[in-house]
Amino acid sequence: MRAEATEAELAAAGGLLTVDLDAVAANWRAVRAAAPGAEAAAVVKADAYGLGMAAVARRLAGEGCGSFFVADANEGATLRTLLPGIAIYVLNGLFPGTGALYRKAGLTPCLASMAELAEWRDEARCAGETLPAVLHFDTGINRLGMSAQDAAAIAEDGALSDGVDVRLIMSHLACADDAASPKNGEQLGRFRALLEALGPRFPGARASLANSPGVFLGPDYHFDLVRPGVGLYGGNPLSGRANPFRPAVTVEARVIALRTLTAGETVGYGAAWAAKGPARIAVLSAGYADGYFRALGRASAPESGAGSQEKGGQAHIAGYTVPVAGRVSMDMLALDVSAVPEGLIRRGDMAELIGPTISVDDVGLRAGTIGYEILTSLGRRYIRRYVSKAHGTRDEPGGQV
Ligand SMILES: *Cc1c(COP(=O)(O)O)cnc(C)c1O
């Protein structure tokens, strides 16, 4: 763990990233409440979607979460050094020649092919141990997972899983964010058929299908274990519906300059934005190097203004939500603060780029992407603060975790 940021470092920070660990914990408890019959695991891949795996996983383990999913074995090995007692599942499977690493770090691979199953079986034989595994089946996303034919073969021939303790049988939904999609029911039907075929061979195995949006498809989708990721971090997993989760991330950037423009003057590279009349601009110390996508820049609105409503970033400052003006630079961006009464914004103030007012999903929409990508792109230059009423605030200078 790094030392806390000093007052001087805080004063010198262009941007602050605050992670509300109480919100993460509350979001995990909300998943538990929504799927009361199932174990709630936590997906902490990609550094807990950019929030910081160490702080997030420690807090969730403290809340009682005992099962964590990562993408690869290196993430898993890092998590293992932090939390010796938890179950760690590796979603992307078993990479060639890595069996020993999984075994030594106590990682459970989500085996997604017969080849992976064979390698894990060999690892068990060589080690003279029974090794835990998840069997991952494809039910329609066509990304990772074994087929129904593979399931039939595994059910038929016990030698194929010799030395492998199948703890969990899982699949992954392609369209869970859209409750009306017929794909959900199709995948559910295929998953049930797989469980039926494999049940006699692995009577102790549990089942898992739902990611964050899958939790809200109802109890049919919960099975024994649910695997929420984005919802824990405050992203809305549901398309076109209200977010059942609390925001957990706030990004603020500092006002480093204020300027007044006359009609026709332009802002930023490419002179893409021009003042239509007298305008006031606030320049912030954050840009695309901080994960504030260049796609959030805003050219001058066409005269009609039609169709441009959802494009271009917004920030919240001094009680006002204001638009980005011009292109986003690497380390700076500009806001059109003409609508904010003069004198309310001073040099050194902070503007909210993501947080309680500007949702991560709205930023994603305006950048032409999704909240997931905004979270996992959060820059490393911010001073990070991990806030918790119960456990106090901890600040960390920017940089690699
Ligand atoms: C990333 C992932 C999850 C978590 O998905 P969210 O939509 O973030 O909840 C669950 N299962 C698998 C297989 C994943 O790859």
Side-chain angles (χ1 to χ4, degrees):
M1 268 295 122
R2 285 166 290 159
E4 288 201 5
T6 62
E7 284 299 313
E9 281 172 327
L10 277 175
L16 281 178
L17 193 165
T18 306
V19 178
D20 181 349
L21 292 173
D22 292 340
V24 174
N27 289 336
W28 183 74
R29 290 193 302 265
V31 169
R32 245 185 4 183
E39 177 185 351
V43 179
V44 294
K45 62 194 180 190
D47 203 25
Y49 291 45
L51 278 69
M53 182 174 71
V56 164
R58 280 203 185 98
R59 176 59 189 269
L60 289 177
E63 293 291 317
C65 181
S67 298
F68 291 81
F69 286 81
V70 294
D72 66 31
N74 288 332
E75 290 181 336
T78 303
L79 181 56
R80 177 57 76 212
T81 64
L82 300 168
L83 293 167
I86 56 164
I88 302 175
Y89 300 100
V90 181
L91 286 168
N92 287 10
L94 183 68
F95 299 175
T98 58
L101 167 62
Y102 282 70
R103 187 167 50 78
K104 284 183 191 129
L107 309 177
T108 304
C110 299
L111 302 171
S113 67
M114 295 299 260
E116 291 178 30
L117 175 58
E119 282 194 25
W120 198 232
R121 205 168 58 221
D122 286 349
E123 186 64 32
R125 189 170 34 74
C126 292
E129 294 171 30
T130 298
L131 295 177
V134 176
L135 298 185
H136 184 175
F137 291 95
D138 181 68
T139 50
I141 194 170
N142 281 310
R143 200 176 61 171
L144 271 188
M146 292 182 269
S147 67
Q149 288 72 30
D150 295 333
I154 292 166
E156 175 87 4
D157 182 359
L160 289 173
S161 53
D162 193 31
V164 177
D165 174 15
V166 175
R167 301 266 172 95
L168 194 67
I169 295 168
M170 68 171 270
S171 189
H172 191 47
L173 296 164
C175 303
D177 59 306
D178 175 10
S181 170
K183 191 99 187 170
N184 297 322
E186 276 168 36
Q187 289 195 263
L188 178 63
R190 289 180 191 161
F191 190 56
R192 282 182 169 148
L194 286 165
L195 294 177
E196 199 162 315
L198 291 162
R201 171 70 55 205
F202 308 113
R206 299 190 298 157
S208 176
L209 182 61
N211 51 0
S212 303
V215 167
F216 297 91
L217 292 175
D220 281 355
Y221 289 80
H222 295 162
F223 294 95
D224 301 304
L225 181 145
V226 294
R227 311 185 303 268
V230 78
L232 304 178
Y233 312 117
N236 187 358
L238 310 176
S239 301
R241 281 179 286 163
N243 191 350
F245 295 105
R246 254 167 69 178
V249 173
T250 301
V251 172
E252 297 161 281
R254 194 179 300 280
V255 175
I256 51 174
L258 291 157
R259 52 198 327 125
T260 304
L261 305 184
T262 55
E265 285 192 283
T266 66
V267 173
Y269 287 123
W273 186 95
K276 291 206 169 55
R280 278 176 296 110
I281 294 294
V283 179
L284 304 184
S285 183
Y288 60 76
D290 300 291
Y292 196 81
F293 288 2
R294 197 165 173 279
L296 290 160
R298 206 187 269 263
S300 290
E303 283 313 317
S304 74
S308 61
Q309 278 317 83
E310 282 180 352
K311 287 290 169 199
Q314 305 192 117
H316 193 72
I317 185 164
Y320 289 77
T321 296
V322 296
V324 167
R327 291 188 188 157
V328 174
S329 308
M330 183 186 295
D331 316 300
M332 279 180 255
L333 64 99
L335 301 176
D336 175 5
V337 295
S338 305
V340 182
E342 215 166 339
L344 280 190
I345 302 173
R346 282 155 309 174
R347 189 173 71 93
D349 285 354
M350 301 300 269
E352 175 191 323
L353 297 178
I354 300 172
T357 308
I358 311 282
S359 78
V360 67
D361 304 292
D362 187 55
V363 176
L365 187 69
R366 288 169 178 278
T369 179
I370 54 175
Y372 292 73
E373 191 179 13
I374 300 296
L375 288 175
T376 55
S377 302
L378 290 170
R380 306 199 170 278
R381 180 160 50 184
Y382 297 114
I383 286 197
R384 289 184 173 230
R385 341 183 70 177
Y386 289 93
V387 181
S388 166
K389 281 210 174 68
H391 304 82
T393 296
R394 198 160 43 78
D395 303 327
E396 296 182 358
Q400 203 75 35
V401 175

